[in-house]
Amino acid sequence: MSLTHACRRLAAVTAGAAAITLGLALPALAHVTINPGSAQQGGFTKVAFRVPNERDDASTTKLEVTFPTDHPLAFVSVKPVPGWDVKVVEGKLPKPITTEYGELTEAVTKVTWSGGKIDPGQFQEFEVSMGALPTDTDQLVFPATQTYSGGEVVKWADEPKADGSEPERPAPTLKLTPASAGGDGHGASATPSATAPAVSAPSVAPVAASESSDGTARLLGGAGLVLGLAGLVVAAFGLRRGRAS
């Protein structure tokens, strides 16, 4: 066997092995995820359900996301996505939940996006604002169902494994972390509290007043300097006239 033939054969084997490895790795990377993957307990957050199209012969035409009822969310709102219809379904909870906003007997149980399409090689993000996040669990699981134009339905519903390894079809999972010290755990993007604007308003007023006062002072100072120079010119002119006479 010539050296050239041997090199070509080695290159072909290497390329084949790489293709097989990549083919095995792609399904693990192409599942539906929630981004960002973590948020603070007790707060509000905005997340995006990221949906890649993992088929090269069909488009994704529908996404269904199931919301937890054991840790229901009192406030859920969705951001419109051009070309897609969205349906938010509310349902009765298995048992009422007491929250800081009162007793919760109903909550959002499912959100469905349909009517659009995610072509091969593309992905789409579906944004949701939600809260208040529970404080008695370290994660929320959102099973998702992805439907393709060819009729194929893929369920991403496997909960995280105890050993940390990834299941075959992992469900989008939001990790919950304790609120930071000195904070209330509320995110800046989605808190529905009516008092939020009042808290931030005082920090704006002093800055505006300071800038206004500073500008006025500079204007008056400039005007005084101009008047002073004019006075010196008049005085000098008068002195020269007096000497000439």
Side-chain angles (χ1 to χ4, degrees):
M1 182 184 296
S2 66
L3 179 60
T4 302
H5 183 68
C7 289
R8 287 178 180 173
R9 187 171 182 180
L10 178 61
V13 171
T14 304
I20 292 173
T21 303
L22 184 60
L24 291 175
L26 281 177
L29 297 174
H31 54 263
V32 178
T33 56
I34 188 168
N35 298 276
S38 65
Q40 288 188 357
Q41 294 174 335
F44 290 75
T45 189
K46 182 182 76 171
V47 299
F49 291 98
R50 183 175 298 167
V51 185
N53 184 18
E54 59 175 7
R55 299 289 181 263
D56 57 8
D57 59 352
S59 300
T60 294
T61 57
K62 186 167 75 170
L63 175 70
E64 225 173 55
V65 177
T66 301
F67 279 61
T69 55
D70 55 342
H71 293 95
L73 300 166
F75 300 96
V76 175
S77 59
V78 297
K79 183 177 181 179
V81 181
W84 291 81
D85 299 319
V86 61
K87 182 180 180 182
V88 180
V89 177
E90 292 188 5
K92 260 197 173 320
L93 299 175
K95 62 177 182 178
I97 303 293
T98 302
T99 72
E100 61 179 303
Y101 305 101
E103 187 176 73
L104 198 63
T105 59
E106 292 186 350
V108 171
T109 57
K110 185 181 293 185
V111 179
T112 303
W113 290 268
S114 61
K117 67 174 183 175
I118 307 170
D119 289 327
Q122 299 180 358
F123 74 93
Q124 179 66 58
E125 291 188 333
F126 302 92
E127 294 183 336
V128 177
S129 173
M130 57 190 185
L133 301 176
T135 58
D136 58 347
T137 182
D138 61 358
Q139 66 179 22
L140 289 178
V141 180
F142 298 84
T145 302
Q146 184 176 9
T147 302
Y148 288 91
S149 56
E152 180 186 7
V153 176
V154 180
K155 293 185 179 294
W156 304 99
D158 296 343
E159 296 196 10
K161 293 185 177 180
D163 61 4
S165 62
E166 187 173 81
E168 183 181 357
R169 296 196 179 278
T173 301
L174 181 67
K175 299 292 184 183
L176 300 180
T177 59
S180 57
D184 60 1
H186 287 67
S189 61
T191 306
S193 172
T195 60
V199 173
S200 58
S203 65
V204 178
V207 174
S210 174
E211 290 176 352
S212 176
S213 299
D214 187 55
T216 304
R218 288 180 181 178
L219 180 62
L220 292 175
L225 180 60
V226 171
L227 290 174
L229 289 174
L232 288 175
V233 171
V234 171
F237 182 72
L239 182 60
R240 290 183 63 184
R241 289 190 60 184
R243 287 178 179 176
S245 62

